[in-house]
Amino acid sequence: MKRKEYEKKLRKLQTELCRLQDWVVNKGLRAIIVFEGRDAAGKAETLKAILERASPRVFRLVALPAPSDREKSQLYIQRYIQHFPAAGEVVLFDRSWYNRAGVEYVMEFCTKDQYRSFVDLCPKFESHIVNSGIILIKFWLEVGQEEQHRRFEARIEDPLRQWKLSPMDLESYARWYAYSRARDMMLDATATDEAPWHIVRADDKERHASTASLICSP
């Protein structure tokens, strides 16, 4: 998608998002939007496009760091629940409880029993979220191996973007097929009628950012 076309389409969608946030506030709605995907798939750019014109009093971004020792001793989901929305709020999770089915599983940061427990309980947990009246939308941003490699190289070469590249990113690239298998197992185990996954091809950043903005309308 050309830049001019992207900006024109994005402005139109951001206008709809502003109308959406008025509706969320007036109706007292609660919404959670989960963003998962490959490293370098463009989650940051997508979230920027969504939040650029939205009110921070309505749309709230949650991007949690690695858990502390105290948090590791809590229920796994506990650190996420405290960020759930109140009436008139939309919470955007830049990665979420699905870390357990992705990076933690592939990098062996959790045990196999912890992983099995997660994929068994996750659909039940999300069913409870939806049944409590919260709107739950889940995105998976997918990028091809060649395009991911190109983006990693661009980050290495650009000092203004090197902060985006972590040792974990490089390790994820080395374990491409392990992450692919983990993704497939996760999607298969946690896609339900109440909380389906929306798959977005992210090789074209401008196109997928505008697509995500469109689907974000509850």
Side-chain angles (χ1 to χ4, degrees), residues 17-186:
L17 278 173
C18 288
R19 292 170 181 164
L20 167 69
Q21 72 182 3
D22 290 340
W23 175 63
V24 168
V25 172
N26 291 335
K27 295 293 185 180
L29 301 177
R30 296 170 294 160
I32 294 174
I33 307 176
V34 169
F35 288 86
E36 296 288 343
R38 296 274 193 184
D39 290 314
K43 290 183 293 297
E45 289 81 358
T46 302
L47 289 164
K48 179 183 176 182
I50 293 170
L51 295 169
E52 192 172 28
R53 302 293 181 181
S55 169
R57 292 186 294 272
V58 180
F59 282 79
R60 177 161 49 90
L61 176 63
V62 176
L64 300 182
S68 65
D69 290 340
R70 181 176 184 274
E71 288 171 328
K72 289 177 182 179
S73 71
Q74 297 174 339
L75 290 173
Y76 174 71
I77 203 68
Q78 191 170 336
R79 69 195 296 252
Y80 298 100
I81 291 178
Q82 61 183 315
H83 297 283
F84 277 22
E89 293 181 349
V90 179
V91 174
L92 311 175
F93 276 98
D94 182 358
R95 298 205 180 275
S96 65
W97 47 92
Y98 281 102
N99 276 337
R100 174 131 298 177
V103 63
E104 290 190 17
Y105 173 72
V106 175
M107 302 300 296
E108 299 181 350
F109 294 156
C110 68
T111 67
K112 291 182 179 180
D113 285 343
Q114 287 174 325
Y115 170 80
R116 284 191 289 265
S117 176
F118 172 80
V119 294
D120 177 58
L121 293 175
C122 185
K124 302 170 187 176
F125 168 68
E126 292 182 347
S127 177
H128 178 69
I129 291 175
V130 174
N131 289 334
S132 72
I134 296 176
I135 298 166
L136 177 61
I137 301 173
K138 303 186 301 187
F139 285 111
W140 176 269
L141 275 60
E142 182 63 30
V143 65
Q145 189 174 19
E146 183 177 338
E147 178 62 17
Q148 186 190 60
H149 178 74
R150 188 191 68 78
R151 292 178 187 179
F152 280 164
E153 284 191 331
R155 292 178 181 183
I156 292 171
E157 294 171 0
D158 186 350
L160 297 179
R161 299 170 65 190
Q162 286 176 0
W163 64 271
K164 289 186 174 184
L165 191 65
S166 69
M168 196 65 67
D169 291 332
L170 298 177
E171 187 64 30
S172 71
Y173 179 77
R175 303 194 187 199
W176 173 271
Y177 294 105
Y179 270 97
S180 296
R181 176 168 170 73
R183 173 205 61 202
D184 293 345
M185 292 191 301
M186 182 196 76

